[in-house]
Amino acid sequence: RAASVDNLTQVFNRREFERTLEIEWRRSIRSKQPLSLILLDIDHFKAFNDYFGHLNGDNCLRQVALAIKESARRAQDIVSRYSGEEFCILLPETDRPGAHILANNIRKNISQLNIRHSPKFRDQPVTASLGIATMIPDHKGASPHKLLEQADKAL
């Protein structure tokens, strides 16, 4: 467990995300079902961290991770911390409209946390930007990294 879970946020870490992405990619090839990915970035997190300090930044990350986990409730949905303030949500057997619904729910749940941002941002609540990509994998040249690139570009 310690090797696959991010200690701070208690969601899967990047290594586990990459391992799971490969597995779900192969499963989607076999099942010919869509695979969706949401890449989430907390907006202006560096400014938040600089103003409130790292302990409050860590608390913000934990709350956001929990809001994501509570939004992505299906057993097969994989929530991972991708980097500092970025998270990935891997959604097997989920089409683009389904991923959009989940992304909107995640955005709403983060907003409802009502974590106040720094005065530089007029004390607005912390928000997140989300990029969505969906593919039906096949054996013809596409790769799981292409799915991640598309989500990053959409972000």
Side-chain angles (χ1 to χ4, degrees):
R1 176 168 155 70
S4 62
V5 173
D6 177 67
N7 191 45
L8 176 66
T9 60
Q10 296 302 302
V11 297
F12 290 112
N13 60 27
R14 184 172 180 160
R15 179 176 47 189
E16 185 65 14
F17 162 74
E18 290 174 349
R19 187 188 75 76
T20 305
L21 177 59
E22 292 287 338
I23 291 168
E24 292 301 335
W25 183 265
R26 289 192 301 271
R27 182 175 291 142
S28 288
I29 289 172
R30 288 190 306 274
S31 68
K32 297 179 181 18
Q33 293 294 313
L35 181 62
S36 290
L37 176 67
I38 301 172
L39 190 57
L40 180 147
D41 184 50
I42 300 173
D43 297 326
H44 310 290
F45 187 72
K46 182 180 180 339
F48 182 94
N49 230 11
D50 289 348
Y51 184 80
F52 291 111
H54 292 285
L55 290 178
N56 286 316
D58 288 352
N59 189 42
C60 177
L61 289 171
R62 280 191 289 273
Q63 289 181 63
V64 167
L66 183 58
I68 297 167
K69 278 175 43 174
E70 289 176 349
S71 301
R73 292 184 292 236
R74 297 183 316 166
Q76 67 263 37
D77 296 344
I78 306 297
V79 177
S80 306
R81 185 170 179 198
Y82 191 67
S83 67
E85 72 276 5
E86 285 187 318
F87 295 87
C88 283
I89 305 95
L90 186 60
L91 305 167
E93 299 179 6
T94 304
D95 59 13
R96 185 175 279 293
H100 274 278
I101 290 168
L102 179 58
N104 286 329
N105 287 340
I106 290 169
R107 186 185 342 258
K108 181 183 78 174
N109 289 341
I110 290 170
S111 179
Q112 287 176 346
L113 292 171
N114 206 25
I115 302 168
R116 299 327 252 167
H117 212 301
S118 64
K120 181 178 179 180
F121 296 95
R122 298 187 193 107
D123 297 313
Q124 295 294 315
V126 167
T127 59
S129 297
L130 296 92
I132 301 168
T134 302
M135 294 178 119
I136 299 177
D138 59 26
H139 294 287
K140 300 176 188 142
S143 73
H145 299 290
K146 186 72 172 171
L147 181 68
L148 188 55
E149 285 174 14
Q150 286 181 2
D152 190 41
K153 187 174 181 179
L155 177 63

